[in-house]
CSV table of all heavy atoms in Angstrom, one decimal:
chain,number,residue,atom,x,y,z
A,52,PHE,N,-19.3,22.2,7.5
A,52,PHE,CA,-20.3,21.8,8.5
A,52,PHE,C,-21.7,22.3,8.0
A,52,PHE,O,-22.6,21.6,8.0
A,52,PHE,CB,-19.9,22.5,9.8
A,52,PHE,CG,-21.0,22.2,10.9
A,52,PHE,CD1,-21.2,21.0,11.4
A,52,PHE,CD2,-21.8,23.2,11.3
A,52,PHE,CE1,-22.2,20.7,12.4
A,52,PHE,CE2,-22.8,23.0,12.3
A,52,PHE,CZ,-23.0,21.8,12.8
A,82,GLU,N,-19.1,15.9,6.8
A,82,GLU,CA,-19.5,16.6,8.0
A,82,GLU,C,-19.3,15.8,9.2
A,82,GLU,O,-19.7,14.7,9.2
A,82,GLU,CB,-21.0,17.0,7.9
A,82,GLU,CG,-21.4,17.9,9.0
A,82,GLU,CD,-21.9,17.1,10.2
A,82,GLU,OE1,-22.6,16.2,10.1
A,82,GLU,OE2,-21.3,17.4,11.4
A,83,ASN,N,-18.6,16.4,10.1
A,83,ASN,CA,-18.4,15.6,11.4
A,83,ASN,C,-18.2,16.6,12.6
A,83,ASN,O,-17.2,16.6,13.3
A,83,ASN,CB,-17.2,14.6,11.3
A,83,ASN,CG,-17.5,13.3,12.1
A,83,ASN,OD1,-18.6,13.1,12.6
A,83,ASN,ND2,-16.5,12.5,12.3
A,84,ALA,N,-19.2,17.5,12.6
A,84,ALA,CA,-19.1,18.6,13.6
A,84,ALA,C,-17.7,19.3,13.5
A,84,ALA,O,-17.3,19.6,12.4
A,84,ALA,CB,-19.3,18.0,15.1
A,85,CYS,N,-17.1,19.7,14.6
A,85,CYS,CA,-15.9,20.5,14.5
A,85,CYS,C,-14.7,19.8,14.0
A,85,CYS,O,-13.6,20.3,13.8
A,85,CYS,CB,-15.6,21.1,15.9
A,85,CYS,SG,-16.9,22.2,16.5
A,124,GLY,N,-25.1,30.2,17.7
A,124,GLY,CA,-25.2,29.2,18.9
A,124,GLY,C,-26.1,28.1,18.6
A,124,GLY,O,-25.9,26.9,18.9
A,125,ASP,N,-27.3,28.4,18.0
A,125,ASP,CA,-28.3,27.4,17.8
A,125,ASP,C,-27.9,26.4,16.7
A,125,ASP,O,-28.1,25.1,16.9
A,125,ASP,CB,-29.6,28.1,17.3
A,125,ASP,CG,-30.3,28.8,18.4
A,125,ASP,OD1,-30.0,28.5,19.6
A,125,ASP,OD2,-31.2,29.6,18.1
A,126,ILE,N,-27.2,26.9,15.7
A,126,ILE,CA,-26.6,26.0,14.6
A,126,ILE,C,-25.6,25.0,15.2
A,126,ILE,O,-25.7,23.8,15.0
A,126,ILE,CB,-26.0,26.9,13.5
A,126,ILE,CG1,-27.1,27.5,12.8
A,126,ILE,CG2,-25.2,26.0,12.5
A,126,ILE,CD1,-26.6,28.6,11.7
A,127,LEU,N,-24.7,25.6,16.0
A,127,LEU,CA,-23.7,24.7,16.6
A,127,LEU,C,-24.2,23.7,17.5
A,127,LEU,O,-23.7,22.6,17.7
A,127,LEU,CB,-22.6,25.6,17.3
A,127,LEU,CG,-21.8,26.5,16.3
A,127,LEU,CD1,-20.8,27.3,17.0
A,127,LEU,CD2,-21.2,25.7,15.1
A,128,LEU,N,-25.3,24.0,18.3
A,128,LEU,CA,-25.8,23.1,19.2
A,128,LEU,C,-26.5,21.8,18.4
A,128,LEU,O,-26.8,20.8,19.1
A,128,LEU,CB,-27.0,23.8,20.1
A,128,LEU,CG,-26.5,24.4,21.3
A,128,LEU,CD1,-27.6,25.1,22.1
A,128,LEU,CD2,-25.8,23.3,22.2
A,129,GLY,N,-26.5,21.9,17.1
A,129,GLY,CA,-27.0,20.8,16.4
A,129,GLY,C,-26.0,19.6,16.4
A,129,GLY,O,-26.2,18.5,16.1
A,130,ALA,N,-24.8,20.0,16.9
A,130,ALA,CA,-23.7,19.0,17.1
A,130,ALA,C,-23.6,18.5,18.5
A,130,ALA,O,-22.7,17.8,18.9
A,130,ALA,CB,-22.4,19.6,16.7
A,131,SER,N,-24.7,18.8,19.3
A,131,SER,CA,-24.8,18.3,20.6
A,131,SER,C,-25.9,17.1,20.5
A,131,SER,O,-26.5,16.9,19.5
A,131,SER,CB,-25.2,19.4,21.6
A,131,SER,OG,-26.5,19.8,21.4
A,132,TYR,N,-26.2,16.6,21.7
A,132,TYR,CA,-27.3,15.6,21.7
A,132,TYR,C,-28.5,16.4,21.9
A,132,TYR,O,-29.0,16.7,23.1
A,132,TYR,CB,-27.0,14.5,22.8
A,132,TYR,CG,-28.1,13.4,22.8
A,132,TYR,CD1,-28.2,12.7,21.7
A,132,TYR,CD2,-28.8,13.1,23.9
A,132,TYR,CE1,-29.2,11.6,21.6
A,132,TYR,CE2,-29.7,12.0,24.0
A,132,TYR,CZ,-29.9,11.4,22.8
A,132,TYR,OH,-30.8,10.3,22.8
A,133,VAL,N,-29.2,16.7,20.9
A,133,VAL,CA,-30.4,17.7,21.0
A,133,VAL,C,-31.5,17.2,21.9
A,133,VAL,O,-32.0,18.1,22.6
A,133,VAL,CB,-30.9,17.8,19.5
A,133,VAL,CG1,-32.2,18.8,19.4
A,133,VAL,CG2,-29.8,18.5,18.6
A,134,LYS,N,-31.8,16.0,22.0
A,134,LYS,CA,-32.8,15.5,22.9
A,134,LYS,C,-32.5,16.0,24.4
A,134,LYS,O,-33.5,16.2,25.1
A,134,LYS,CB,-32.9,14.0,22.9
A,134,LYS,CG,-33.4,13.4,21.7
A,134,LYS,CD,-33.6,11.9,21.8
A,134,LYS,CE,-34.1,11.3,20.5
A,134,LYS,NZ,-34.2,9.8,20.7
A,135,GLU,N,-31.3,16.1,24.8
A,135,GLU,CA,-31.0,16.6,26.2
A,135,GLU,C,-30.3,17.9,26.4
A,135,GLU,O,-30.3,18.4,27.4
A,135,GLU,CB,-30.1,15.4,26.8
A,135,GLU,CG,-30.8,14.1,26.9
A,135,GLU,CD,-29.8,13.0,27.5
A,135,GLU,OE1,-28.7,13.3,27.8
A,135,GLU,OE2,-30.3,11.9,27.7
A,136,GLU,N,-29.6,18.4,25.3
A,136,GLU,CA,-28.8,19.5,25.4
A,136,GLU,C,-29.1,20.7,24.6
A,136,GLU,O,-28.4,21.7,24.7
A,136,GLU,CB,-27.3,19.0,25.0
A,136,GLU,CG,-26.8,17.9,25.9
A,136,GLU,CD,-25.6,17.1,25.3
A,136,GLU,OE1,-25.1,17.5,24.3
A,136,GLU,OE2,-25.3,16.0,25.9
A,137,ALA,N,-30.1,20.7,23.8
A,137,ALA,CA,-30.5,21.8,22.9
A,137,ALA,C,-30.9,23.0,23.6
A,137,ALA,O,-30.8,24.1,23.1
A,137,ALA,CB,-31.6,21.3,22.0
A,138,ASP,N,-31.3,22.9,24.8
A,138,ASP,CA,-31.7,24.1,25.6
A,138,ASP,C,-30.7,24.7,26.4
A,138,ASP,O,-31.0,25.6,27.3
A,138,ASP,CB,-33.1,23.8,26.4
A,138,ASP,CG,-34.2,23.4,25.5
A,138,ASP,OD1,-34.3,24.0,24.4
A,138,ASP,OD2,-35.1,22.6,25.9
A,139,VAL,N,-29.5,24.3,26.4
A,139,VAL,CA,-28.4,24.8,27.2
A,139,VAL,C,-28.2,26.3,26.9
A,139,VAL,O,-27.9,26.5,25.6
A,139,VAL,CB,-27.2,24.0,27.0
A,139,VAL,CG1,-26.0,24.6,27.8
A,139,VAL,CG2,-27.3,22.6,27.6
A,142,GLY,N,-25.2,28.1,23.9
A,142,GLY,CA,-24.8,27.2,23.0
A,142,GLY,C,-23.7,26.3,23.4
A,142,GLY,O,-23.7,25.8,24.6
A,143,PHE,N,-22.7,26.1,22.7
A,143,PHE,CA,-21.6,25.2,23.0
A,143,PHE,C,-20.8,25.8,24.2
A,143,PHE,O,-20.2,25.0,25.0
A,143,PHE,CB,-20.7,24.8,21.9
A,143,PHE,CG,-20.9,23.3,21.4
A,143,PHE,CD1,-21.9,23.0,20.5
A,143,PHE,CD2,-20.1,22.3,21.9
A,143,PHE,CE1,-22.1,21.8,20.1
A,143,PHE,CE2,-20.3,21.0,21.5
A,143,PHE,CZ,-21.2,20.7,20.6
A,144,ALA,N,-20.7,27.1,24.2
A,144,ALA,CA,-20.1,27.7,25.3
A,144,ALA,C,-20.7,27.2,26.7
A,144,ALA,O,-20.0,27.1,27.7
A,144,ALA,CB,-20.1,29.2,25.2
A,145,GLY,N,-22.1,27.1,26.7
A,145,GLY,CA,-22.8,26.6,27.8
A,145,GLY,C,-22.4,25.2,28.2
A,145,GLY,O,-22.2,24.9,29.4
A,146,LEU,N,-22.2,24.3,27.2
A,146,LEU,CA,-21.8,23.0,27.4
A,146,LEU,C,-20.5,22.9,28.0
A,146,LEU,O,-20.2,22.2,29.0
A,146,LEU,CB,-21.8,22.1,26.2
A,146,LEU,CG,-23.3,21.9,25.5
A,146,LEU,CD1,-23.1,21.0,24.2
A,146,LEU,CD2,-24.1,21.1,26.4
A,147,PHE,N,-19.5,23.7,27.5
A,147,PHE,CA,-18.2,23.7,28.0
A,147,PHE,C,-18.1,24.4,29.3
A,147,PHE,O,-17.2,24.2,30.2
A,147,PHE,CB,-17.2,24.2,27.0
A,147,PHE,CG,-16.7,23.1,26.1
A,147,PHE,CD1,-17.4,22.8,24.9
A,147,PHE,CD2,-15.6,22.3,26.4
A,147,PHE,CE1,-17.0,21.7,24.1
A,147,PHE,CE2,-15.2,21.3,25.5
A,147,PHE,CZ,-15.9,21.0,24.4
A,248,PHE,N,-19.6,8.4,23.2
A,248,PHE,CA,-21.0,8.6,23.2
A,248,PHE,C,-21.3,10.1,23.0
A,248,PHE,O,-20.6,10.9,23.5
A,248,PHE,CB,-21.7,8.3,24.6
A,248,PHE,CG,-21.7,6.8,24.8
A,248,PHE,CD1,-21.2,6.2,26.0
A,248,PHE,CD2,-22.3,5.9,23.9
A,248,PHE,CE1,-21.3,4.9,26.2
A,248,PHE,CE2,-22.5,4.6,24.1
A,248,PHE,CZ,-21.9,4.0,25.3
A,249,LEU,N,-22.4,10.4,22.2
A,249,LEU,CA,-22.7,11.8,21.9
A,249,LEU,C,-23.3,12.5,23.2
A,249,LEU,O,-23.0,13.6,23.5
A,249,LEU,CB,-23.7,11.8,20.8
A,249,LEU,CG,-24.3,13.2,20.5
A,249,LEU,CD1,-23.2,14.2,20.0
A,249,LEU,CD2,-25.4,13.0,19.3
A,250,PRO,N,-24.2,11.8,24.0
A,250,PRO,CA,-24.8,12.6,25.1
A,250,PRO,C,-23.8,12.7,26.2
A,250,PRO,O,-23.1,11.7,26.6
A,250,PRO,CB,-26.0,11.6,25.6
A,250,PRO,CG,-26.2,10.7,24.4
A,250,PRO,CD,-24.9,10.6,23.7
A,251,LEU,N,-23.7,13.8,26.8
A,251,LEU,CA,-22.8,14.0,28.0
A,251,LEU,C,-23.3,13.2,29.2
A,251,LEU,O,-22.5,12.8,30.0
A,251,LEU,CB,-22.8,15.5,28.4
A,251,LEU,CG,-22.1,16.4,27.3
A,251,LEU,CD1,-22.2,17.9,27.9
A,251,LEU,CD2,-20.7,16.0,27.1
A,254,ARG,N,-21.5,9.7,30.0
A,254,ARG,CA,-20.1,9.5,30.2
A,254,ARG,C,-19.6,10.5,31.3
A,254,ARG,O,-20.4,11.6,31.5
A,254,ARG,CB,-19.3,9.7,29.0
A,254,ARG,CG,-19.6,11.0,28.1
A,254,ARG,CD,-19.1,10.9,26.8
A,254,ARG,NE,-19.6,11.9,25.9
A,254,ARG,CZ,-18.9,12.9,25.5
A,254,ARG,NH1,-17.7,13.1,25.8
A,254,ARG,NH2,-19.5,13.9,24.7
A,374,GLY,N,-14.7,16.6,17.3
A,374,GLY,CA,-16.0,17.0,16.9
A,374,GLY,C,-16.9,16.9,18.1
A,374,GLY,O,-17.0,15.9,18.8
A,375,GLY,N,-17.7,18.0,18.4
A,375,GLY,CA,-18.5,17.9,19.6
A,375,GLY,C,-17.6,18.0,20.8
A,375,GLY,O,-16.5,18.3,20.8
A,376,ALA,N,-18.2,17.6,22.0
A,376,ALA,CA,-17.4,17.6,23.3
A,376,ALA,C,-16.7,16.3,23.4
A,376,ALA,O,-17.1,15.5,24.1
A,376,ALA,CB,-18.4,17.8,24.4
A,377,ALA,N,-15.6,16.2,22.6
A,377,ALA,CA,-14.8,15.0,22.5
A,377,ALA,C,-15.6,13.8,22.1
A,377,ALA,O,-15.4,12.7,22.7
A,377,ALA,CB,-14.1,14.8,23.9
A,378,VAL,N,-16.4,13.9,21.1
A,378,VAL,CA,-17.1,12.8,20.6
A,378,VAL,C,-16.4,12.2,19.4
A,378,VAL,O,-16.2,11.0,19.4
A,378,VAL,CB,-18.6,13.3,20.1
A,378,VAL,CG1,-19.3,12.1,19.5
A,378,VAL,CG2,-19.3,13.9,21.3
Side-chain angles (χ1 to χ4, degrees):
F52 175 74
E82 183 278 309
N83 216 11
C85 298
D125 288 342
I126 290 169
L127 295 182
L128 272 176
S131 69
Y132 188 56
V133 173
K134 289 183 180 179
E135 297 177 359
E136 299 159 9
D138 295 327
V139 173
F143 251 86
L146 292 179
F147 275 88
F248 287 129
L249 178 59
L251 294 179
R254 51 197 168 103
V378 177

